């Protein structure tokens, strides 16, 4: 009897697997057919980039397409975001797929026919706007996944929530919370309750069509630090009359560098402290009263993050105190680390292999950039990975990085991203069907 039950169970599992394989081949074919349209969308969004929380035309265009597919669309969500629901014909889990949609204050230098000519005033400065992080490709890929999965609605075992999220690149403190954090606050993971979330980022420094993933900490947590050093002003010729905040600041910067190099267990996970701005003084012979330091902190581990924050505070305060000055330290908690759920990662790697081929799926090192996809992962199991897109004809050494005026990707990589997201979805549904 036991054997028979086992046999029936294996047969049912096999049938499910065979159906998924069939659906996957169909998706592969449909993605190929849709490729010209994916490229056309990408070029439209590339030519019309909008800054974080200003993605008005972008959001409207996304919503319009999703409505034309007959999906239940919510717009705007979290200022300019779009959420669409696709209900499969069969019962199953709720899977969310997320794309970020914002651009950056960068003036494009590429001579593409669809290069951005947009200009805006950003913080009082005239600047160009550019999809210099490739979020234009994220939008286009997710639109394609929505279109393809809608076509296969009859075979889908569950529900898909498409999340087009604004403001991933961050906003001024006055506008916070924004992006993923605000979307969650507005209930994007509820009604129906999301059980798993998938997302990707295009990567200009990985070969086109390669998928790179990592279990656990993939991208760093980012936090800011402001240090206000208060001393005592004096004539530059009589420093003994002062408590020099410039000298104290330089000691603090040196001291902070020993936190990572000497007090952090680097074999466990990496960390970075960078002081990127120093402001103090007005003239060479006046010792000012105060100096202001601003920095960024990157960590991958929650405990380490807490310790680094504490040590920054202690180091700055005590160095200032030893000189008779005062350091006011303000830590700005920004994005948590992007941590891939280990159990989910193991289950989902075969979907990446099916989408890109075994030779194109690699394990990546953690990267010290941050991503607000992490907010979703703190609520539900999530899996985030990179899609390589450096054009084969370019030299990797001279390939421009993200957030620069020459940033460039290979549009042909997008089809692999579409297949990856679609395969992750149908495989997850098969694994957790109800
Ligand atoms: Ni980005």
């Amino acid at each position: 009897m036991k054997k028979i039950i086992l046999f029936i169970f294996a047969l049912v599992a096999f049938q499910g697997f065979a159906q998924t394989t069939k659906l996957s081949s169909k998706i592969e074919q449909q993605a190929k057919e849709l490729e010209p349209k994916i490229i056309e969308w990408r070029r439209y969004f590339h030519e019309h980039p909008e800054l974080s929380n200003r993605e008005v035309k972008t959001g409207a265009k996304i919503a319009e397409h999703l409505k034309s597919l007959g999906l239940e669309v919510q717009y705007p969500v979290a200022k300019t975001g779009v959420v669409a629901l696709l209900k499969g014909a069969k019962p199953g889990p709720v899977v969310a797929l997320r794309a970020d949609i914002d651009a950056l204050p960068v003036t494009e230098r590429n001579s593409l026919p669809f290069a951005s000519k947009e200009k805006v005033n950003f913080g009082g400065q005239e600047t160009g706007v550019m999809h210099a992080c490739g979020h234009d490709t994220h939008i286009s890929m997710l639109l394609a996944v929505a279109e393809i999965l809608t076509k296969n609605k009859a075979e889908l075992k569950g529900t898909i929530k498409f999340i087009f999220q604004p403001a991933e690149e961050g906003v001024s403190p006055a506008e916070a919370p924004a992006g993923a954090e605000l979307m969650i606050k507005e209930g994007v993971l509820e009604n129906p309750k999301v059980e798993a979330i998938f997302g990707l980022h295009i990567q200009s420094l990985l070969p086109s069509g390669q998928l790179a993933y990592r279990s656990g900490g993939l991208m760093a947590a980012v936090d800011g630090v402001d240090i206000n050093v208060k001393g005592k002003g004096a004539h530059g010729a009589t420093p003994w009359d002062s408590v020099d905040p410039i000298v104290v600041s330089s000691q603090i910067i040196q001291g902070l560098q020993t936190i990572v190099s000497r007090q952090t267990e680097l074999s466990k996970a990496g960390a970075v402290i960078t002081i990127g701005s120093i402001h103090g003084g007005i003239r060479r012979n006046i010792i000012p009263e105060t100096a202001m330091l601003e920095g960024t902190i990157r960590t991958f581990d929650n405990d380490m993050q807490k310790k680094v924050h504490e040590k920054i505070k202690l180091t700055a305060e005590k160095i200032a105190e030893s000189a008779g000055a005062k350091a006011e330290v303000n830590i700005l908690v920004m994005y948590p680390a992007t941590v891939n759920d280990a159990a989910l990662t193991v289950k989902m790697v075969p979907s990446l292999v099916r989408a890109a081929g075994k030779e194109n799926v690699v394990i990546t090192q953690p990267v010290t950039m941050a991503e607000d996809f992490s907010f979703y992962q703190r609520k539900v199991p999530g899996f985030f990975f990179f899609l390589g897109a450096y054009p084969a004809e370019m030299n990797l050494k001279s390939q421009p990085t993200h957030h620069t005026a020459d940033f460039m990707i290979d549009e042909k990589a997008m089809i692999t991203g579409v297949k990856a997201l679609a395969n992750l979805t149908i495989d997850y549904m098969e694994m957790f069907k109800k």
Side-chain angles (χ1 to χ4, degrees), residues 231-390:
K232 184 170 169 274
H235 194 297
T238 57
W240 49 85
D241 289 331
S242 78
V243 176
D244 188 343
I246 302 279
V247 172
V248 173
S249 295
S250 71
Q251 288 174 321
I252 289 176
I253 294 167
Q254 295 297 330
L256 294 183
Q257 289 315 309
T258 68
I259 295 173
V260 172
S261 67
R262 285 295 170 270
Q263 304 171 63
T264 300
E265 197 180 337
L266 289 173
S267 57
K268 196 171 157 200
V272 174
I273 299 172
T274 293
I275 297 296
S277 107
I278 316 172
H279 291 280
I282 189 114
R283 216 181 121 133
R284 72 176 80 237
N285 60 356
I286 302 173
I287 295 171
E289 286 180 8
T290 62
M292 185 76 194
L293 313 177
E294 289 174 334
T296 187
I297 309 159
R298 309 291 162 127
T299 49
F300 291 92
D301 176 278
N302 286 344
D303 287 342
M304 210 183 258
Q305 180 183 27
K306 224 177 117 207
K307 268 189 205 148
V308 167
H309 289 182
E310 284 166 7
K311 284 186 173 164
I312 287 176
K313 209 167 174 293
L314 186 74
T315 305
E317 284 173 359
K318 293 296 175 193
I319 287 175
E321 196 185 317
S322 73
K326 195 166 184 275
E328 283 172 3
V329 181
N330 186 21
I331 306 269
L332 310 140
V333 177
M334 294 170 161
Y335 294 177
T338 302
V339 180
N340 283 328
D341 184 271
L344 184 65
T345 305
V346 172
K347 284 191 185 107
M348 299 329 296
V349 171
S351 314
L352 299 188
V353 171
R354 196 195 298 122
K358 202 172 179 217
E359 65 287 2
N360 292 318
V361 177
V362 297
I363 295 175
T364 179
Q365 289 180 337
V367 300
T368 46
M369 263 78 82
E371 170 52 75
D372 76 351
F373 187 81
S374 51
F375 283 102
Y376 304 110
Q377 288 176 316
R378 290 209 298 191
K379 302 278 177 192
V380 294
F383 180 54
F384 194 77
F385 58 99
F386 300 129
L387 166 64
Y390 94 76

Side-chain angles (χ1 to χ4, degrees), residues 133 135 168-169 201:
C133 198
H135 299 184
E168 191 281 326
E169 300 287 1
H201 205 300

